């Protein structure tokens, strides 16, 4: 009964390809996030979705696009992959509507672009 | 521009002793602070949190201290156990919005 699950866990692909990473949460949370952990181990927010609306979009290339078909899912699409996109991507969710609470993370997707 | 910083990338402690992990932040709007623990090949898992209206929160062996004037928080683990060996991330948020993370401190507890 994984609370936040993301697939695949590992993804190896060539430069220029388009790929997607899926994320699902069964916690009934209203907000979902995508984080990128780069080679320096820094966890940086990429996107967050609250009730199917994008509320944060940091300085992320427009090759990255989040898609949320419903409140329980937030998928990450990446077009024209580049070597620098290699990283571990974490999905997370929280119940954040106006109150402080923790975020729950998936196990991560290690993306390697060759 | 990092708003949450963990200046010690690693820490080694003997089993049974106290582990102290430190974190500094720059944004005075942060009102909620969290510590996460991360094992290799797993996602971060929530450990303990503290609201800005408190200066201490304790949960078993884990205590988080908050010094708002210094914009500093710390995590104390006592007694440290080998199973505590992991990477610890400090995080902060403002009004329930996105979480900002530090770069982590790798803790090794030596048996």
């Amino acid at each position: 009964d994984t609370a936040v699950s993301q697939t695949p866990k590992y993804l190896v692909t060539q430069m220029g390809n388009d790929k997607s990473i899926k994320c699902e949460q069964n916690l009934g949370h209203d907000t979902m996030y995508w984080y990128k952990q780069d080679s320096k181990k820094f966890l940086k927010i990429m996107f967050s979705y609250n009730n199917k609306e994008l509320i944060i979009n940091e300085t992320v290339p427009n090759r990255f696009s989040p898609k949320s078909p419903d409140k329980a899912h937030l998928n990450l699409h990446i077009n024209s992959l580049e070597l620098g996109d290699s990283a571990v991507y974490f999905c997370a969710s929280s119940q954040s509507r106006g109150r402080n609470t923790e975020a729950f993370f998936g196990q991560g997707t290690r993306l390697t672009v060759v | 521009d990092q708003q949450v910083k963990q200046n010690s990338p690693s820490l080694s402690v003997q089993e049974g002793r106290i582990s102290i992990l430190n974190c500094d932040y720059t944004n005075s709007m942060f009102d909620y602070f969290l510590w996460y623990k991360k094992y290799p090949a797993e996602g971060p898992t929530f450990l303990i949190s503290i609201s800005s209206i408190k200066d201490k929160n304790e949960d078993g062996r884990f205590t988080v201290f908050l010094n708002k004037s210094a914009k500093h928080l710390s995590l104390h683990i006592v007694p440290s156990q080998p199973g505590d060996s992991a990477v610890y991330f400090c995080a902060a948020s403002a009004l329930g919005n996105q979480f900002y993370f530090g770069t982590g401190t790798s803790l090794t507890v030596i048996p």
Side-chain angles (χ1 to χ4, degrees), chain A residues 50-75:
Chain A
N50 182 287
N51 286 335
K52 299 180 70 173
E53 293 183 23
L54 178 67
I55 58 173
I56 298 172
N57 186 347
E58 296 292 324
T59 54
V60 174
N62 57 14
R63 298 181 295 104
F64 291 79
S65 57
K67 297 281 194 302
S68 181
D70 55 58
K71 199 170 71 168
H73 296 83
L74 183 65
N75 303 324

Side-chain angles (χ1 to χ4, degrees), chain A residues 70-110:
Chain A
D70 55 58
K71 199 170 71 168
H73 296 83
L74 183 65
N75 303 324
L76 182 64
H77 297 268
I78 315 170
N79 294 325
S80 303
L81 278 156
E82 300 177 357
L83 292 176
D85 297 332
S86 296
V88 182
Y89 293 84
F90 288 99
C91 175
S93 74
S94 69
Q95 188 67 27
S96 294
R97 293 279 273 179
R99 57 192 180 110
N100 290 322
T101 184
E102 66 270 22
F104 292 80
F105 282 79
Q107 82 277 21
T109 296
R110 181 173 291 277

Side-chain angles (χ1 to χ4, degrees), chain B residues 8-26:
Chain B
S8 298
S10 63
L11 175 68
S12 291
V13 173
Q14 289 284 341
E15 181 179 4
R17 298 289 185 96
I18 185 171
S19 296
I20 300 176
L21 296 95
N22 294 304
C23 177
D24 297 293
Y25 62 95
T26 57

Side-chain angles (χ1 to χ4, degrees), chain A residues 37 41 43 88 90 106-108 110, chain B residues 36-46 84-89 105-106:
Chain A
Q37 187 178 34
K41 307 302 181 185
L43 265 171
V88 182
F90 288 99
Q107 82 277 21
R110 181 173 291 277
Chain B
Y36 280 82
K37 179 179 180 180
K38 184 182 181 304
Y39 292 117
E42 294 183 11
T45 55
F46 171 73
D84 296 330
S85 297
V87 177
Y88 290 78
F89 288 94
T105 297
S106 179

Side-chain angles (χ1 to χ4, degrees), chain B residues 50-95:
Chain B
I50 188 167
S51 166
S52 60
I53 61 173
K54 295 184 176 181
D55 55 18
K56 177 183 175 181
N57 187 28
E58 189 173 354
D59 183 3
R61 297 185 297 113
F62 302 92
T63 303
V64 56
F65 295 92
L66 175 63
N67 183 334
K68 288 188 291 294
S69 61
K71 293 192 178 67
H72 177 84
L73 66 156
S74 61
L75 174 68
H76 293 210
I77 307 173
V78 56
S80 301
Q81 300 174 354
D84 296 330
S85 297
V87 177
Y88 290 78
F89 288 94
C90 170
S93 70
L95 302 175

